[in-house]
Amino acid sequence: MLENLPRIDLLDGPTPFQRLRRLEAETGHGALWAKRDDVAALGLGGNKLRSLEYWVAEAGQRGCDMLVVAGAPESNQCRLTAAAAARLGLECLILHGGNPPESAVGNLMLNRLLGAEIRFLGPVDEDERGRRARTAVEELTAAGRRPYLVGDPVVGALGYARAAGELARQARSAGVALRHVVLPGSMGPTEAGFLYGCALLDLDLTVHLVSVEYQADELQARIAGIVAGLERRAGLPAGDWQRRMTIHMDQLGPGYGRPTPESVAAVATCARLEGFFLEHTYTAKTFAGLLALLDSGAIPAGEPACFLHTGGVPALFGQVADQPGLVAAAR
Ligand SMILES: Cc1ncc(COP(=O)(O)O)c(C=O)c1O
């Protein structure tokens, strides 16, 4: 349904849809799956690759030859923008809030390897960082360059509208009548896109959003704004898209990027039972949310459920470098 919208392939095919047999044995749930968006051939993978497929297509349509992106030094979006730029032969400028750290680990180290130009803006908040990025784009344009500012949430959300169809096809061909999908609730594009795609396909699913950043009303408002933008952009109404959405606030703990005992344990549980990794900001709390939903019976044992792994694993190295206690606490 969204095939007519411009997209440049960065994923090289579907990401794995994988059964979690040891987690099933551990929890007594009969059908647990993971959609592994942390696994991709480009830039060590992650949800922002799906958004970038649409952002770089728009950049191409506008004749841009340079990607500009702003984010925290540990930002996965910045890393994947730098990787997409490398693959497509575009220049990349990254604007980070804060000051340069003494040693670059995690995503920051990868951004350097990817050849991005990196500028540190000093201690600025998110709004100011956004303003500085827009100013940088204006200055580059005035100097005769053709920069594209990465980050429009509606364009980025198209990636997960498409992903809903990919997941539905994979579940169908595995003979699974998927009833629950669990993913992080954060800035909104991934969640809004996924809910929009589910609505267009009329999928019989509950979409569990485990909030890792905002209170429920703010998260809901962000998602609603993006879905409205998607309806306008794609020209396809989503009807009663909200009926699939459930927001869970029980994993947020002390706030964004701040681990909880449950999220620290989830990183170890996932690694030891299934052999893949979570990071501490998004996926650990989401996985902890899945475990809580299984434990409480909110996801009943007979109803197939899928953990949507949105990636971000390279950030784990920086997180553990900053807080070595995270590994000790997981023992
Ligand atoms: C690994 C990971 N998961 C989830 C998210 C949240 O995605 P969204 O901003 O679309 O809500 C991000 C955002 O950067 C991320 O890096």
Side-chain angles (χ1 to χ4, degrees):
M1 271 182 271
L2 303 168
E3 289 80 24
N4 297 334
L5 297 168
R7 181 178 75 88
I8 289 178
D9 182 23
L10 296 174
L11 278 144
D12 303 301
T15 59
F17 177 61
Q18 178 183 57
R19 190 145 187 189
L20 305 178
R21 290 193 186 276
R22 289 202 66 216
L23 188 63
E24 288 177 358
E26 183 80 9
T27 59
H29 188 286
L32 295 176
W33 298 76
K35 175 66 173 157
R36 296 286 308 276
D37 278 4
D38 59 317
V39 177
L42 184 64
L44 295 177
N47 61 336
K48 298 298 172 183
L49 271 186
R50 293 191 185 271
S51 299
L52 276 156
E53 291 195 326
Y54 290 90
W55 284 326
V56 295
E58 187 170 78
Q61 280 192 317
R62 292 184 188 170
C64 298
D65 58 6
M66 177 182 197
L67 302 180
V68 178
V69 65
E74 61 277 10
S75 158
N76 298 307
Q77 180 162 309
C78 291
R79 175 209 358 128
L80 288 169
T81 300
R87 169 133 151 200
L88 298 173
L90 305 171
E91 280 185 58
C92 181
L93 169 63
I94 301 179
L95 302 174
H96 286 312
N99 296 313
E102 274 172 27
S103 66
V105 289
N107 284 321
L108 198 50
M109 183 266 285
L110 299 177
N111 295 343
R112 289 192 181 159
L113 290 179
L114 289 162
E117 182 189 341
I118 301 172
R119 291 186 201 157
F120 282 88
L121 303 173
V124 294
D125 65 15
E126 208 174 306
D127 289 342
E128 176 61 13
R129 193 178 67 203
R131 269 192 292 279
R132 300 277 282 273
R134 287 189 292 278
T135 305
V137 165
E138 281 162 18
E139 287 171 359
L140 285 160
T141 308
R145 307 295 309 276
R146 286 171 290 148
Y148 175 83
L149 183 59
V150 163
D152 180 284
V154 174
V155 176
L158 289 168
Y160 272 87
R162 188 168 177 278
E166 181 179 307
L167 178 58
R169 279 191 298 280
Q170 286 175 309
R172 206 177 308 125
S173 58
V176 188
L178 212 52
R179 292 296 313 283
H180 302 268
V181 177
V182 184
L183 64 153
S186 182
M187 297 283 279
T190 303
E191 307 87 296
F194 191 73
L195 284 157
Y196 183 65
C198 289
L200 292 187
L201 296 167
D202 198 19
L203 300 181
D204 184 17
L205 276 181
T206 301
V207 178
H208 299 270
L209 303 180
V210 180
S211 179
V212 302
E213 187 158 8
Y214 297 110
Q215 293 304 318
D217 50 355
E218 175 154 12
L219 176 58
Q220 192 154 357
R222 281 175 176 271
I223 293 171
I226 298 170
V227 172
L230 285 167
E231 289 180 313
R232 282 194 296 276
R233 190 164 189 106
L236 298 167
D240 185 14
W241 60 271
Q242 308 212 18
R243 79 179 153 81
R244 292 179 185 78
M245 175 174 73
T246 312
I247 294 178
H248 303 281
M249 293 306 303
D250 54 326
Q251 304 299 325
L252 181 58
Y256 176 75
R258 299 179 63 190
T260 61
E262 292 78 12
S263 70
V264 173
V267 176
T269 301
C270 186
R272 290 166 200 184
L273 286 181
E274 295 293 346
F276 65 85
F277 299 108
L278 309 171
E279 49 63 63
H280 287 278
T281 302
Y282 301 99
T283 49
K285 287 183 178 176
T286 306
F287 197 84
L290 167 68
L291 296 178
L293 291 165
L294 296 173
D295 198 40
S296 70
I299 295 184
E303 298 187 359
C306 178
F307 167 66
L308 202 168
H309 193 322
T310 49
V313 178
L316 181 61
F317 297 93
Q319 291 164 350
V320 174
D322 286 348
Q323 294 186 65
L326 291 176
V327 174
R331 282 180 194 282

